[in-house]
């Protein structure tokens, strides 16, 4: 869940991730869709954040889709533990869909490629 990612990122102890260094995460984004990933020791996690979900919602607008689906709403930060309001991911999707803005994946330039990390 989004909250579990932030718990791992900011906790001084992460016993459920042996081999990871507390507060030792490196966070990167791919250059096209702003999709973040993070790594620490033997662990690598890819996830969506507000900017990457907004781009995906703008792609849905571009293709004139009726909306988007999410796997599970309870995996969002429903307590606003790491955001200013509850459900920041769902809000990003909703706001981008309502904006009417579009993102053409064929026309938008990419800003390089994702780094490769050695494990």
């Amino acid at each position: 869940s989004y909250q579990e990612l932030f718990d791992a990122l900011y906790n001084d102890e992460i016993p459920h991730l042996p081999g990871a260094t507390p507060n030792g995460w490196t966070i990167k984004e791919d250059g096209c869709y702003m999709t973040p990933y993070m790594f620490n020791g033997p662990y690598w996690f890819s996830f969506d954040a507000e900017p990457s979900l907004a781009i995906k919602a703008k792609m849905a607008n571009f293709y004139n889709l009726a909306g988007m689906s999410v796997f599970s709403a309870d995996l969002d930060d429903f307590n606003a533990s790491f955001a200013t309001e509850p459900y920041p991911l769902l809000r990003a999707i909703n706001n981008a869909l309502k904006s009417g803005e579009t993102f053409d994946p064929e026309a938008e330039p990419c800003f390089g490629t994702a780094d490769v990390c050695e494990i």
Side-chain angles (χ1 to χ4, degrees), residues 62-100:
F62 175 78
Y63 289 112
N64 293 315
L65 301 178
M68 294 175 60
S69 67
V70 295
F71 175 72
S72 181
D74 66 334
L75 297 178
D76 200 345
D77 185 4
F78 56 88
N79 286 328
S81 300
F82 302 99
T84 56
E85 294 183 279
Y87 297 101
L89 301 178
L90 292 174
R91 286 180 192 283
I93 292 169
N94 190 40
N95 290 338
L97 288 173
K98 286 190 325 185
S99 77

Side-chain angles (χ1 to χ4, degrees), residues 7-66:
D7 281 342
L9 226 118
Y10 298 118
N11 274 339
D12 292 330
E13 296 181 17
I14 43 177
H16 59 290
L17 298 172
T21 303
N23 302 306
W25 295 93
T26 299
I27 301 174
K28 301 274 188 169
E29 289 181 341
D30 87 335
C32 290
Y33 304 109
M34 310 310 281
T35 304
Y37 60 96
M38 63 189 215
F39 53 93
N40 180 341
Y43 302 98
W44 185 96
F45 299 105
S46 175
F47 56 99
D48 272 307
E50 290 117 303
S52 61
L53 287 171
I55 287 175
K56 291 176 182 183
K58 291 174 185 179
M59 285 175 65
N61 286 342
F62 175 78
Y63 289 112
N64 293 315
L65 301 178

